[in-house]
């Protein structure tokens, strides 16, 4: 079943097309990677899907009821079931790991501002519940022992995991991961690949931007390739590795995918 339909999205900055008529679909519980050279338009597409920017034209059809989410605010899109991480990690550095994840949980809670200030019984109960849920996602990414550590004191790899935990705490249907392996060492990268597979096992669909071809070719069901804002190829990893246009534009000839 189709969960996301990127339908002829065009985004222009001045005279430059960051994206031009880009079209592809993502099916339920797939891992799809979006690859291409620097400036190809990958992050622009993530910004459009998550509601940060509005495209010049095109539709983003999401979910079972197939609604167009273009023009919706980011918090509404998160509520509908799309979560993301960022290329440049965006955590609250002076909050603990657990508090960072709890912020993700708050998009699914009912307590309003006044209830929280007055500490009504239902708000206290909800806060306890959020703590439990926050711990569940911290454990899921392997950071349970770092719950009281400030986010700024975590290693780079752990900060990336924490960002993923916070995104998962919004209980997404679709998770957008923007270069999750950037800056990781080989052992951390391997661990992250396994984590992404475990996320998919939770019936969450994943759209991934990644430059590490071992990761892309190792975990993707399908790969979409952008170049100068245009989709130049789409297919299974083994098809993309052999695609002449992709080799010329991006991959080169001598890549070791193993
Ligand atoms: P990278 O792999 O380096 O992250 P990318 O594929 O994510 O690259 P984008 O960041 O989406 O590429 O950029 C696509 C194009 O749009 C680039 O030419 C970029 O300079 C341009 N662009 C992106 N954001 C803006 C903006 N706010 N104003 C003007 N041009 C922009």
């Amino acid at each position: 079943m189709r969960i996301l339909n990127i339908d002829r999205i065009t985004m222009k900055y001045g005279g430059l097309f960051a994206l031009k008529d880009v079209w592809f679909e993502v099916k339920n519980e797939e891992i799809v990677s979006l690859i291409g050279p620097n400036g190809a338009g990958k992050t622009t597409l993530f910004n459009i899907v998550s509601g940060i920017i509005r495209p010049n034209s095109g539709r983003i059809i999401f979910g079972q009821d197939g609604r167009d989410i273009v023009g919706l605010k980011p918090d509404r899109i998160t509520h509908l079931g799309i979560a993301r991480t960022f290329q440049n990690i965006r955590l609250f550095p002076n909050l603990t790991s657990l508090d960072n994840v709890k912020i993700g949980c708050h998009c699914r809670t009912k307590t309003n501002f006044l209830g929280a200030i007055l500490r009504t019984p239902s708000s206290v109960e909800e806060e306890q519940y959020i703590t439990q849920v926050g711990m569940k996602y911290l454990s899921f990414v392997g950071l349970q022992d770092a719950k009281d550590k400030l986010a700024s004191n975590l290693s780079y790899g752990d900060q990336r995991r924490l960002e993923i935990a916070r995104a998962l705490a919004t209980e997404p249907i679709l998770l957008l991961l923007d270069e999750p392996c950037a800056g990781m060492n080989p052992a951390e990268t391997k661990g992250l690949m396994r984590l992404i597979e475990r996320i998919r096992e939770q019936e969450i669909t994943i759209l991934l931007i990644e430059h590490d071809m071992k990761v892309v070719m190792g975990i993707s069901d399908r790969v979409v390739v952008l170049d100068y804002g245009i989709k130049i190829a789409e297919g299974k990893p083994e098809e993309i590795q052999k695609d002449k246009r992709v080799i010329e534009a991006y991959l080169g000839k001598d890549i070791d995918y193993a």
Side-chain angles (χ1 to χ4, degrees):
M1 192 188 64
R2 185 182 77 189
I3 199 148
L4 182 74
N5 177 10
I6 308 289
D7 183 16
R8 289 165 298 147
I9 288 290
T10 292
M11 182 74 211
K12 249 177 120 176
Y13 289 111
L16 174 118
F17 281 98
L19 296 166
K20 193 171 182 190
D21 276 333
V22 171
W23 181 94
F24 66 92
E25 292 184 345
V26 181
K27 295 194 199 81
N28 205 15
E29 293 172 45
E30 270 192 311
I31 299 178
V32 174
S33 286
L34 197 53
I35 66 168
N38 292 335
K42 306 177 296 293
T43 297
T44 300
L45 189 64
F46 267 27
N47 287 341
I48 291 170
V49 175
S50 52
I52 294 172
I53 55 175
R54 196 184 177 134
N56 294 95
S57 60
R59 302 183 308 162
I60 307 278
I61 307 296
F62 172 65
Q64 279 185 346
D65 52 355
R67 71 178 287 183
D68 183 4
I69 59 169
V70 165
L72 298 184
K73 297 227 159 62
D75 59 335
R76 183 80 197 111
I77 290 176
T78 308
H79 203 80
L80 287 175
I82 301 181
R84 76 173 286 184
T85 64
F86 292 86
Q87 198 172 332
N88 307 311
I89 301 170
R90 292 193 191 175
L91 292 165
F92 293 96
N94 298 323
L95 293 184
T96 65
S97 302
L98 180 57
D99 283 342
N100 267 283
V101 181
K102 282 168 72 176
I103 286 168
C105 302
H106 275 286
C107 101
R108 301 277 166 212
T109 56
K110 296 190 199 85
T111 301
N112 59 23
F113 183 67
L114 196 61
I117 297 274
L118 298 175
R119 295 191 60 76
T120 57
S122 67
S123 77
V124 171
E125 208 171 279
E126 195 163 61
E127 196 56 32
Q128 285 167 350
Y129 171 72
I130 289 170
T131 302
Q132 267 176 27
V133 175
M135 276 312 295
K136 178 177 100 177
Y137 288 111
L138 264 188
S139 305
F140 187 80
V141 303
L143 287 177
Q144 63 279 8
D145 294 339
K147 73 181 173 69
D148 297 321
K149 269 195 184 176
L150 294 184
S152 55
N153 289 341
L154 297 182
S155 71
Y156 192 70
D158 284 350
Q159 289 191 22
R160 288 220 172 267
R161 282 174 177 272
L162 181 57
E163 230 201 354
I164 292 174
R166 185 178 59 188
L168 290 175
T170 68
E171 298 182 346
I173 299 165
L174 172 69
L175 178 62
L176 311 176
L177 297 172
D178 195 346
E179 295 195 34
C181 300
M184 284 193 169
N185 65 38
E188 287 174 326
T189 300
K190 240 183 170 174
L192 202 84
M193 284 170 76
R194 180 65 199 121
L195 177 61
I196 293 171
E197 284 168 345
R198 281 175 49 231
I199 294 171
R200 189 246 293 269
E201 285 161 16
Q202 307 298 307
E203 303 179 357
I204 295 171
T205 306
I206 293 166
L207 184 58
L208 173 75
I209 296 176
E210 186 50 60
H211 283 288
D212 185 330
M213 285 306 120
K214 285 183 186 158
V215 176
V216 169
M217 301 304 174
I219 61 172
S220 309
D221 298 305
R222 285 186 307 117
V223 180
V224 173
V225 190
L226 295 180
D227 187 29
Y228 290 109
I230 292 170
K231 183 177 88 173
I232 59 166
E234 178 178 354
K236 296 199 170 104
E238 55 274 23
E239 293 165 347
I240 295 299
Q241 285 170 30
K242 290 187 213 130
D243 189 297
K244 254 186 157 171
R245 219 171 146 192
V246 180
I247 292 169
E248 269 169 31
Y250 184 50
L251 293 181
K253 289 193 184 107
D254 304 317
I255 290 203
D256 172 18
Y257 299 106

